[in-house]
Amino acid sequence: MSSSSTAESATRGGPFAWFHTLGRNGKKAFIGAFGGYGLDSYDFQVLPLGLVAITAYFGISKGEAGLLTTVTLVVSALGGAIAGILADRIGRVRTLMITVVTYAVFTVLCGFATSYETLLIFRALQGLGFGGEWAAGAILVAEYCKPRYRGRTVAFIQSSWAVGWALSVLVYTLVFNLFPQEVAWRVLFWTGALPALLIIYIRRTVEDAPEATERRTSSTEKGSFTAIFKGDLTRTTLFAALLATGVQGGYYTLATWLPTFLKTERDLTVIGTGGYLAFLISGAFTGYVCGGYVTDWWGRKKTFALFSVLSAGLILLYTQIPPGANTAILFLGFPLGFCMSAIFSGFGSFLAELYPTALRGTGQGFTYNFGRAVGALFPTLVGFMAERMGVGGALVFGAVAYGIAVVALLGLPETKGRELL
């Protein structure tokens, strides 16, 4: 696309100029990555939504239930790191397909688990694909973007997480009203086969950005863990991993335990829980989208700091509202979902801008998923603390995670407007 046609498209597109500037292949890549991350979210969320039924079926403790999420996230760090290296070596699209197939297959197998230990193993293996998909998809789209629009474009990819989450809640509500609880959680996992349809689209229509592919294949530096810990990249990698730890520790604490909190401490029914989560998810989708524009206008670091502080404050407020005030919790769900998701909007662009093309997959895959692995300790901690403090009291530890994210920003540069090299 010529510069004049790009400018014309940008003018015509208004707030969606970012989409017009992607070009034909970039738009196809966007659709593939959007679908991949949305279904990644769907396959992750079926566990928290079915957690009460799973806990009852296998007769496990809250700590053991929390471990199901933790093991998913810990193994996702390995999956993300491996996928990052693969993305730098065999390309973004091929890696994207491998990760989608992996998380879909093992989500379905979770529905056939005959014991808690079997479910734990299948859920861990699901984490391999779950961790790798985001790195491959976000980089694929980032390399098609104009610098001025990169934050909001990749943020729209992030917004698909809320779409997948909403779809999982709708299916959960339907399945748990059609089947008895001891069967419903299995059916919910079996619906995780949906991503297989996406593979057909990606294989037929999506390709890597040509310029980025040329830089990647011609570079003498190939993706490896040692390469992202050399020279100036050492500091970048360490602080980016710490940032990812804080943000994801806070997020996954809420994603794992909020449905249980609403059911067990707020006495909501299946439909009632779905309604409350609808407010949270609506806020999440809006936050993903708006956060992308904020990160392009205001800068990456300021956006992270703002939404970390707001998320921590809202967790404290949401969980400490006294019994009988469920209406307040209902309406607080929107700003809570907004802030805890808006903070993610800048991640794809920020991490892509911190690393050169030849190491972008490795750097982004490692730091983001290292954060998932260490941040995954928070849901387990909350599970064990909930035995003594209640789920609402234990959720306060999610606010601590956001404090870690703010500290990490002190060691990272601002990358707004940076060209990908």
Side-chain angles (χ1 to χ4, degrees):
M1 181 182 290
S2 67
S3 59
S4 60
S5 62
T6 298
E8 183 180 347
S9 295
T11 301
R12 184 179 72 249
F16 294 98
W18 57 269
F19 189 69
H20 294 296
T21 60
L22 288 174
R24 174 189 250 177
N25 289 336
K27 291 174 183 177
K28 292 177 181 178
F30 176 87
I31 293 170
F34 187 95
Y37 196 53
L39 292 171
D40 197 15
S41 168
Y42 181 94
D43 279 12
F44 174 80
Q45 295 293 350
V46 293
L47 173 65
L49 290 168
L51 200 56
V52 171
I54 291 168
T55 300
Y57 185 87
F58 290 116
I60 57 177
S61 68
K62 287 186 174 67
E64 290 172 316
L67 187 60
L68 287 168
T69 294
T70 295
V71 73
T72 305
L73 300 179
V74 169
V75 176
S76 79
L78 176 61
I82 293 172
I85 292 177
L86 286 176
D88 286 338
R89 290 178 177 267
I90 69 173
R92 313 330 189 187
V93 173
R94 292 173 66 186
T95 304
L96 181 63
M97 288 192 293
I98 291 171
T99 59
V100 172
V101 168
T102 302
Y103 73 65
V105 167
F106 286 108
T107 297
V108 172
L109 288 177
C110 284
F112 292 99
T114 56
S115 66
Y116 169 73
E117 291 75 17
T118 305
L119 180 59
L120 195 66
I121 291 170
F122 284 151
R123 192 63 183 177
L125 293 173
Q126 189 257 9
L128 289 173
F130 171 69
E133 191 284 332
W134 181 84
I139 296 167
L140 172 65
V141 175
E143 290 176 340
Y144 274 106
C145 295
K146 302 296 181 185
R148 64 179 295 192
Y149 296 128
R150 190 174 298 119
R152 68 198 75 177
T153 304
V154 181
F156 269 89
I157 297 295
Q158 294 273 178
S159 74
S160 68
W161 182 272
V163 176
W165 190 3
L167 179 61
S168 70
V169 171
L170 288 174
V171 174
Y172 153 78
T173 303
L174 177 64
V175 167
F176 271 75
N177 277 285
L178 290 177
F179 298 93
Q181 179 172 281
E182 60 271 17
V183 175
W185 68 269
R186 294 187 183 276
V187 176
L188 196 58
F189 276 120
W190 292 335
T191 63
L194 286 171
L197 299 174
L198 180 68
I199 292 298
I200 299 173
Y201 172 83
I202 295 175
R203 184 175 181 180
R204 289 182 176 178
T205 63
V206 182
E207 61 184 52
D208 289 352
E211 292 182 4
T213 300
E214 184 179 350
R215 288 195 299 269
R216 176 177 60 80
T217 55
S218 62
S219 175
T220 57
E221 187 80 77
K222 300 300 180 183
S224 68
F225 295 134
T226 56
I228 61 173
F229 284 98
K230 289 182 179 178
D232 293 340
L233 285 181
T234 301
R235 177 187 176 93
T236 296
T237 299
L238 291 175
F239 280 97
L242 186 63
L243 174 66
T245 297
V247 171
Q248 296 190 87
Y251 176 84
Y252 285 112
T253 294
L254 287 170
T256 301
W257 288 108
L258 208 56
T260 300
F261 169 71
L262 292 173
K263 287 180 184 178
T264 61
E265 297 196 10
R266 292 294 170 173
D267 299 320
L268 297 179
T269 63
V270 167
I271 293 177
T273 298
Y276 275 64
L277 290 177
F279 270 76
L280 187 75
I281 295 168
S282 298
F285 179 81
T286 308
Y288 281 128
V289 173
C290 294
Y293 287 90
V294 174
T295 195
D296 276 342
W297 292 333
W298 206 31
R300 312 323 190 200
K301 292 178 64 174
K302 290 180 181 178
T303 303
F304 282 127
L306 171 66
F307 290 117
S308 289
V309 172
L310 290 177
S311 295
L314 284 166
I315 289 176
L316 296 175
L317 185 60
Y318 191 90
T319 56
Q320 302 309 308
I321 288 177
N326 280 0
T327 301
I329 285 183
L330 175 70
F331 289 108
L332 269 178
F334 188 91
L336 177 62
F338 183 98
C339 292
M340 64 186 272
S341 298
I343 194 172
F344 279 95
S345 296
F347 251 115
S349 54
F350 189 47
L351 294 181
E353 291 157 353
L354 288 174
Y355 292 94
T357 299
L359 298 176
R360 186 164 298 126
T362 306
Q364 191 154 338
F366 175 82
T367 54
Y368 190 80
N369 288 288
F370 177 90
R372 267 183 174 166
V374 181
L377 298 176
F378 282 85
T380 296
L381 173 64
V382 168
F384 284 109
M385 295 299 293
E387 301 287 353
R388 290 179 290 173
M389 303 174 60
V391 177
L395 278 172
V396 171
F397 286 94
V400 176
Y402 287 111
I404 294 173
V406 174
V407 172
L409 292 171
L410 299 175
L412 293 168
E414 176 57 60
T415 61
K416 176 186 174 184
R418 179 178 292 184
E419 294 280 354
L420 297 185
L421 303 174

